Amino acid sequence: MVTVPDVPLGRPRKGFAAWFRRSEAAQGLALMSPTLLVLLIGIAVPLVILITMGFWTREGFGFDTTPTLDNYARIGAEPIFVTFLARSFMVSGIATLVTILLCYPMAYYVAFHVHRNKMLWIVLMTLPFWTSYLLRVFAWRVVLGYEGVVNSAFLSLGWIEAPLEFLLYSQTAVIITLTHAWAAFAILPLYVSLEKIDKSLLEAATDLGDGPVRRFLRITLPLSMPGVVAAFFLIFIPTTGDFITPALLGGPDGMMIGNLIQLQFGPVNNWPMGAALSIVLMLWIGALGLVFLFLTRLAKRRLA
Amino acid sequence: MKSGTYIKRPNRALQIYACVFLFVLYLPVLFIPLFSFNDSIYVRFPMQGLTTRWYVDLWSRDTVWAALGNSVTVGIWVSVISTGLGVVAARAITRYRIPGQSAILTFALLPLIVPGIIFGVALLVLLSRLGIPLSLYTVGLGHLIICLPFAIATLLPRFEGFERSLDEASADLGENGWWTFWRVTFPMVAPGILASLLLTFTISFDEFIMTFFLSGTDTTLPIYIWSQLRFPQQFPVVLAMSSVILALSFVMVFVALWIGRMGVAREYADDPQ
Amino acid sequence: MDVLDHLDAVKRGTLSRRAFQRSLLGFGIGALATPFAAGRGMAQQAQGSIFTWGGYDLPEFYPSYIAANGAPPDFAVFDGTESALTRMRSGFVVDVAHPCSSDVMRWAASGLFQPIDTSRLSNWGDVIPELVNLEGNKADNGMPWLAPFDWGSTSVTYRTDLVELEGEESWDILWDARYGGKIGMFGSGGDAWWSAAIKAGVPFDQIHTDAAFDAIAAVLREQRPLVRVYTDDTATIGQALSSGELVAAMTWNSTAVELQAEDIPVKFAKPKEGALTWVCGLMLHRDAPNPDRAYEIIDAMLSVDAGKFMIGAYGYGHSNSKAFEAFTTEELEATGLSATPSDILGAGHFSTPQNQEWESRMNETYEMIKAGF
C-alpha cells in the first residue's frame, strides 16, 4: 500500500479536509466522480427504468403503470418468444463456435509461425473491420445472392443446375455472415493469449518427449483458454441481440430476438413488452455465460 | 530464455490455411470498392461496366458529407471524453483503494456484456421520460456508454503495470500531484491513451444499433447507409464514400506503423543492445 | 526489432519520450486526414427538416426550396409510418412529416400536428381536389391536416415470362402454390394486411371486427410457406424480380416502372378484385421549429417540377394537376396512372383510416405471422 507523503506544515490536521486527505477511498472516489456520474446516468438509471417499464402495460398512446407480471407471463406462455430466444442462442452459439474454430489456426499461425512483421499480420487481419458493419453484411448479400458470386461460380463450373436458394434469406446466411463479421473479435483475444504462452514450456515438453499433438493438448490449448473464453463472450453476447443481419439476410425463418425487441419499439408499439424481453434476454445471457465459464473451467482441469 | 517464436519449421498446411483465410476474409470487403465503380445503381453480379461517376457525385452529395461529418464529430468527442473518463477511473482504481471497486468495475464493464439493443432501448426510454429531444447529443451519450468500458478495459492494464515507486519518487522530489501525473505518469500510459482514443473512435464511428434508437434529424454515417440500403438512389455514392474511408484507414495505419518502426530503429542505432 | 517488442518496452515502462512523440505524430497525421471531410458537413444553418420515406431525400423534390435557401432541407428517414409515429411520440421533433391518408386520423389524434394553413402555399390552387377531400382530412378550422403529395397503387408485379396466368390477373398470383418459394411480400403490415383482406373477401368496412382479423390472419398464414422474403425494400424486390429469384411480388408502381426501364418483362397487375390505392402527403408538426421553412418545403414538393420528377422517375402520381400535362396519355397508362386520379381512386380500394388500437393489433398479428406463429 502506498504511503501518503508527510503532511507539510500549514495543511489542516482536523476536520473534513484532513479526513479527505487521509482517506484513500474518498480521494479515489472523488477522482472518479465524473466517470461514476456518467455510469450512473448512462447505465444504472436507464436499466432501472427498463426494469420498471417491464412491469407496465401498453395503453393507447401511453402506459398503464400499475405493476403487473403480464408481460413476463406472456413471454413464458406464448411459444413465439421462447422459440426466438432459443433460435437466437443457437444461431449465435453456432456462429461463435465456428468463428473460434476457424480463427484459432490463424491466430496460432501468427503467434508461432510468423517471425517478423507480426504487427503487419495483425493489422492485415483486422483492417477489413474498418469498413461499416452494414456494408459488410450487405457485401455478403452480394456473395450469397441468387445471382451472387457463389451461385454464379458454381453455375459456370457446372456443379449445380439452378442457383442455390438456401444460401440467402435463411439461418445459414445469418450464421455465415455473423462468422465473418465478428472474426476480428476472435482473432485478437486468441492471438494475445497464444502469444503470451511461455515458449520455454513447449521446448521443455519437446525435450521430455511429447509429440506435437500432445504438446498442443496439454500446454497450448489450456493456456489459451482465457483467450477462447474472451473470444466467446466478445462474440456471443453482441450477436444474440443483433437485428441488422437477420433483417437483411435472415428471411422469414431467420429472424432473431433482437428483431422482436426492435419491433416492440417500432411498429408493434408495445414498449413495456420490449423492455420485458430485453430483461429476459439479459438474464438468459448471464445464465448461459456462467454455464460456459463453468464448462471451460472443467475442461481446463481435465486437460491440464 | 530467448523469447522468440519457438517454432522454426514451417508448417505448409498452416501456411496455406492462413492464405485462404485472409482471402476469404477480404473477399466480401473488396466488393465495396469493386461495386463503387459499377455502372448501375443496383449491386448485381456480374457488373454492368466501369465508371468513376459515383466518385464525382460523391463530391457534391451534401447529405453524405453531412453524415460523415456528424460521425467524425461525434466520434472525436466521444473518444476524447470516454478516454478522459477512463483515465481518471483507471488512475483512481489503481492508485487508491476504493471500497467496492470490483463492483464498480463490473458495473462499468456492463455494456460489454449486454447486447447494444438493450442499452439503446433503455436510454431511449430514459430520454423520453425526461422529455429530452433526440439529437446528436443523445447519440453521443449513447456512444459514450458503449465506449467507456472499452476505454477502461484498455487503460486499466497500462495503469496497473506502471511503477508506483516512480510516483512516490517524484512526490519525494517535490513535484505536486498534477505535475507528477503530467511528467511521469502520462508519458508512460500515453500508448494506452492512444490505443483507447483510437479504439473508442472506431467503435463510435461504426456504431449503429444505439444510434438507430437515439438519433434525431442529424444522421451519422451508419444510419445514412442503412437508409440507402433500402432505397438505392444514392447507394453507389455510399459505396464510394466507404471505399475512400477504407483507403484512408489503410494509409493511416501503415503510416503510423512505419513511423513507429523508424523511431525504434533509430533508438537501437543509438543504443545497441 | 519487432514492433511487438516495442510494445513490450512500453509495458515495462521504458518507452522513451521520442518514441512517444512519434506515436502521437502517427495519430496526428491520421487525425488530419479527416477534418477536411468534417468541414464540409459543418456549413449548415437552421434548415427546415422533413421526416420521410427513404428515396424521397433527393434534391429534385425540393427545387424551389433549394433555390430560396441554397441547400435541401434536413432529412430524417423512416422505415414505416408506424415507427415514425412512435419516434415522434417519444420526443423526436421535425417540421414536416410524410404519412399516408390512412394514418391521418391517428396522427392527428396524437396531438403532435397542426392543420396546414393553405393560404401560405402558392401551389395549393393546383392541387387535385379529390386528394384533399379524403376521409378525416378536415380539421375543425376547415384546413386540411394532410397536404397530399404522392399517390399510386399497390398491386402485384409479376414476370410475364415466368408466371402462367389462369384467367384474369388477380391477387391469387401471390398465393399460387406453383410458385412457392418465389413470392415476395411487404414487410410492414399496412398494405399486406389490406391486400390479404381483399383476397379473403373481407369488406373494408368490416375490417376492424374479430372475424375479419381471423379471416385475414388465416389467409396470410396460408401464404407464408410460399414467401421467400418479406421486405419493403424496393431495391431488393427489383433485383430479385429481375434475376428470377422472385416471380411475383407485392409492390408499388415504381418497381414495375424501374424494371420495365431495364427491359425486364414484368407487368404491374390490375387485379380483378381491385388494387389498393394510397395517397400520401405532408403534415405539419405542432411544435415545428421552423414553420416558415416548413411551408417552403411543402410548397416545393407541391410544385410542378417536383411533380414531373415524381411521375417520370418513380411512376407515382403527384398531387399537382399541372404536373401531368408534361406527359402523354400513353406514358401515364404505362406507369399505371391517369391524369384524372378519380378514375384510379375509384377503381381501386382505399384503405380506410383506423384507430391506434387497430393499427397496433394489426401490426402485432402480422409480425407474428411473419415469424411463423
Side-chain angles (χ1 to χ4, degrees):
Chain A
M1 183 159 149
V2 178
T3 54
V4 178
D6 274 330
V7 175
L9 287 171
R11 294 253 180 96
R13 292 172 188 273
K14 290 208 193 101
F16 176 75
W19 168 79
F20 187 77
R21 292 218 166 271
R22 275 196 294 270
S23 163
E24 285 228 343
Q27 288 187 39
L29 283 172
L31 185 59
M32 264 188 84
S33 51
T35 316
L36 283 177
L37 192 67
V38 169
L39 289 177
L40 200 69
I41 300 181
I43 301 182
V45 173
L47 275 181
V48 164
I49 293 190
L50 201 67
I51 295 176
T52 320
M53 193 173 264
F55 294 117
W56 294 351
T57 41
R58 161 184 68 193
E59 187 178 47
F61 274 142
F63 309 112
D64 172 8
T65 61
T66 50
T68 154
L69 286 175
D70 279 352
N71 293 321
Y72 291 98
R74 256 188 85 192
I75 294 177
E78 286 183 30
I80 182 176
F81 300 111
V82 174
T83 312
F84 266 58
L85 272 170
R87 183 193 295 169
S88 305
F89 291 134
M90 190 194 73
V91 167
S92 289
I94 295 179
T96 312
L97 287 173
V98 171
T99 313
I100 294 180
L101 279 174
L102 288 178
C103 292
Y104 196 98
M106 187 66 188
Y108 187 89
Y109 177 76
V110 181
F112 288 98
H113 287 263
V114 169
H115 305 297
R116 298 176 308 168
N117 303 323
K118 274 197 207 223
M119 206 57 177
L120 186 67
W121 276 86
I122 297 175
V123 166
L124 271 181
M125 289 191 297
T126 48
L127 258 177
F129 304 97
W130 283 63
T131 50
S132 163
Y133 182 71
L134 290 169
L135 288 180
R136 274 181 278 135
V137 173
F138 187 80
W140 272 101
R141 272 235 298 238
V142 174
V143 173
L144 296 173
Y146 197 77
E147 280 185 328
V149 181
V150 172
N151 274 325
S152 303
F154 283 9
L155 273 174
S156 57
L157 284 172
W159 289 357
I160 51 175
E161 304 258 302
L164 297 169
E165 296 199 333
F166 69 86
L167 281 181
L168 191 57
Y169 303 131
S170 62
Q171 288 175 23
T172 317
V174 176
I175 293 176
I176 294 176
T177 308
L178 285 176
T179 306
H180 177 265
W182 292 84
F185 287 84
I187 293 177
L188 287 175
L190 287 174
Y191 170 78
V192 167
S193 80
L194 279 170
E195 178 68 21
K196 279 213 298 231
I197 295 178
D198 192 350
K199 314 295 188 293
S200 55
L201 288 172
L202 291 159
E203 290 188 0
T206 323
D207 292 341
L208 290 170
D210 266 348
V213 177
R214 288 215 72 182
R215 259 200 323 263
F216 177 76
L217 284 176
R218 290 187 57 183
I219 300 179
T220 318
L221 190 57
L223 286 178
S224 63
M225 268 321 202
V228 172
V229 170
F232 180 84
F233 283 115
L234 278 177
I235 300 176
F236 181 73
I237 290 170
T239 50
T240 46
D242 189 5
F243 64 88
I244 303 171
T245 312
L248 288 176
L249 300 165
D253 289 317
M255 291 293 122
M256 289 171 38
I257 192 79
N259 300 96
L260 265 190
I261 296 178
Q262 183 245 329
L263 286 169
Q264 305 299 319
F265 287 92
V268 174
N269 193 26
N270 191 347
W271 288 35
M273 190 57 167
L277 274 173
S278 309
I279 303 292
V280 169
L281 177 64
M282 231 166 60
L283 292 173
W284 270 104
I285 289 180
L288 284 174
L290 286 172
V291 167
F292 183 75
L293 274 176
F294 177 70
L295 284 176
T296 47
R297 218 156 278 179
L298 211 63
K300 216 170 156 177
R301 234 175 288 154
R302 288 287 181 79
L303 283 172
Chain B
M1 263 302 159
K2 190 171 66 170
S3 66
T5 45
Y6 167 66
I7 295 179
K8 302 297 175 200
R9 236 187 13 249
N11 185 334
R12 277 291 158 218
L14 215 49
Q15 273 179 339
I16 297 177
Y17 184 88
C19 292
V20 171
F21 186 92
L22 277 182
F23 176 71
V24 173
L25 199 67
Y26 271 86
L27 189 63
V29 171
L30 290 177
F31 280 116
I32 296 172
L34 185 68
F35 279 98
S36 67
F37 293 107
N38 188 23
D39 195 5
S40 159
I41 58 170
Y42 288 124
V43 175
R44 280 171 57 195
F45 202 75
M47 286 174 57
Q48 313 288 83
L50 291 175
T51 173
T52 53
R53 65 177 158 122
W54 305 118
Y55 285 91
V56 173
D57 266 354
L58 177 64
W59 205 245
S60 58
R61 289 285 189 213
D62 288 332
T63 40
V64 178
W65 289 109
L68 176 68
N70 291 332
S71 281
V72 169
T73 316
V74 171
I76 291 181
W77 277 106
V78 168
S79 73
V80 166
I81 296 179
S82 63
T83 303
L85 291 176
V87 162
V88 292
R91 176 93 174 116
I93 291 176
T94 52
R95 171 80 176 79
Y96 302 103
R97 273 248 294 268
I98 299 177
Q101 81 184 25
S102 50
I104 294 182
L105 256 184
T106 316
F107 190 65
L109 298 178
L110 206 60
L112 281 179
I113 60 173
V114 172
I117 188 172
I118 294 181
F119 273 106
V121 150
L123 269 179
L124 176 66
V125 166
L126 172 66
L127 291 170
S128 83
R129 300 305 289 177
L130 289 177
I132 298 179
L134 299 179
S135 68
L136 279 182
Y137 291 107
T138 54
V139 170
L141 178 63
H143 289 192
L144 189 59
I145 306 300
I146 297 278
C147 292
L148 191 53
F150 281 98
I152 295 180
T154 312
L155 288 164
L156 208 53
R158 300 273 173 217
F159 275 85
E160 265 174 11
F162 157 69
E163 299 277 355
R164 283 195 196 173
S165 54
L166 286 164
D167 212 19
E168 280 184 84
S170 165
D172 287 343
L173 289 170
E175 304 246 15
N176 69 23
W178 267 115
W179 276 106
T180 306
F181 181 79
W182 187 246
R183 296 189 60 178
V184 177
T185 322
F186 186 72
M188 290 195 191
V189 298
I193 293 182
L194 190 64
S196 166
L197 282 172
L198 283 175
L199 185 63
T200 48
F201 180 81
T202 312
I203 292 172
S204 163
F205 193 70
D206 195 27
E207 216 290 320
F208 176 76
I209 293 186
M210 294 209 64
T211 323
F212 181 80
F213 287 102
L214 298 173
S215 59
T217 34
D218 297 312
T219 57
T220 58
L221 196 58
I223 299 288
Y224 182 77
I225 294 177
W226 174 256
S227 71
Q228 290 304 307
L229 283 180
R230 324 190 83 210
F231 301 94
Q233 298 300 332
Q234 294 187 52
F235 186 65
V237 176
V238 167
L239 291 180
M241 162 73 77
S242 299
S243 309
V244 169
I245 294 177
L246 187 61
L248 267 179
S249 317
F250 263 90
V251 168
M252 248 172 71
V253 168
F254 278 104
V255 166
L257 273 182
W258 182 59
I259 286 179
R261 307 190 94 221
M262 236 170 57
V264 160
R266 210 170 295 162
E267 226 175 277
Y268 269 75
D270 299 339
D271 167 40
Q273 211 168 28
Chain C
M1 188 171 92
D2 215 347
V3 183
L4 204 67
D5 296 337
H6 176 77
L7 285 179
D8 250 324
V10 160
K11 189 152 198 273
R12 277 182 268 118
T14 55
L15 180 70
S16 79
R17 203 168 289 172
R18 271 181 295 156
F20 160 60
Q21 278 161 358
R22 280 197 193 89
S23 321
L24 275 186
L25 182 57
F27 176 73
I29 287 183
L32 277 177
T34 42
F36 82 92
R40 297 211 69 180
M42 288 313 156
Q44 280 175 346
Q45 320 86 2
Q47 291 285 23
S49 53
I50 172 167
F51 197 19
T52 180
W53 305 84
Y56 285 81
D57 49 349
L58 296 176
E60 287 86 339
F61 287 118
Y62 313 92
S64 56
Y65 183 93
I66 299 179
N69 292 295
D74 291 336
F75 298 108
V77 166
F78 57 69
D79 292 344
T81 51
E82 200 54 31
S83 19
L85 185 63
T86 309
R87 265 184 87 184
M88 288 189 287
R89 271 176 44 207
S90 58
F92 180 52
V93 178
V94 280
D95 290 311
V96 178
H98 188 181
C100 297
S101 56
S102 53
D103 302 312
V104 174
M105 188 174 116
R106 287 177 300 112
W107 282 43
S110 72
L112 291 170
F113 298 92
Q114 52 173 308
I116 297 181
D117 180 4
T118 55
S119 62
R120 294 178 69 167
L121 297 170
S122 67
N123 289 311
W124 188 254
D126 298 324
V127 172
I128 301 170
E130 287 96 333
L131 297 176
V132 181
N133 300 327
L134 300 168
E135 193 182 324
N137 197 20
K138 204 173 258 211
D140 292 335
N141 62 359
M143 292 291 155
W145 287 106
L146 182 91
F149 168 53
D150 52 332
W151 55 274
S153 323
T154 305
S155 176
V156 183
T157 299
Y158 65 97
R159 288 283 296 264
T160 49
D161 56 337
L162 295 174
V163 170
E164 219 183 273
L165 280 181
E166 294 173 338
E168 287 180 271
E169 290 177 338
S170 156
W171 284 102
D172 291 336
I173 300 174
L174 292 179
W175 270 262
D176 197 330
R178 290 177 295 163
Y179 306 113
K182 289 188 172 291
I183 291 176
M185 280 287 278
F186 275 166
S188 51
D191 286 348
W193 191 264
W194 292 91
S195 66
I198 297 177
K199 165 92 171 107
V202 172
F204 278 17
D205 55 1
Q206 301 283 315
I207 206 163
H208 55 277
T209 60
D210 285 343
F213 263 88
D214 290 337
I216 297 173
V219 151
L220 284 170
R221 284 200 181 98
E222 188 194 314
Q223 187 201 37
R224 189 186 180 280
L226 307 171
V227 176
R228 174 157 172 82
V229 62
Y230 287 95
T231 177
D232 293 345
D233 182 357
T234 51
T236 307
I237 299 176
Q239 264 172 240
L241 279 171
S242 72
S243 69
E245 185 179 1
L246 296 177
V247 303
M250 165 182 265
T251 69
W252 300 307
N253 14 357
S254 59
T255 307
V257 168
E258 281 162 9
L259 287 170
Q260 280 158 357
E262 307 236 338
D263 294 322
I264 313 279
V266 291
K267 192 156 177 302
F268 191 61
K270 285 195 174 57
K272 60 179 195 266
E273 306 95 343
L276 278 172
T277 32
W278 48 268
V279 173
C280 298
L282 308 160
M283 286 180 76
L284 184 62
H285 201 281
R286 186 195 60 202
D287 303 318
N290 303 297
D292 296 328
R293 296 270 172 288
Y295 279 101
E296 283 174 23
I297 293 177
I298 300 178
D299 213 16
M301 292 172 84
L302 292 178
S303 69
V304 175
D305 290 322
K308 285 201 231 167
F309 178 72
M310 171 71 84
I311 300 174
Y314 282 33
Y316 292 150
H318 189 252
S319 52
N320 190 327
S321 52
K322 297 222 170 74
F324 289 86
E325 286 161 16
F327 299 88
T328 67
T329 323
E330 289 82 39
E331 284 170 330
L332 291 174
E333 293 274 306
T335 59
L337 291 176
S338 147
T340 40
S342 45
D343 294 348
I344 310 229
L345 294 173
H349 295 276
F350 224 157
S351 48
T352 49
Q354 303 291 328
N355 63 19
Q356 185 64 50
E357 259 96 71
W358 183 91
E359 196 74 27
S360 301
R361 183 179 173 197
M362 181 272 287
N363 276 306
E364 191 157 7
T365 316
Y366 190 58
E367 293 300 333
M368 293 279 216
I369 295 173
K370 283 198 305 179
F373 288 86

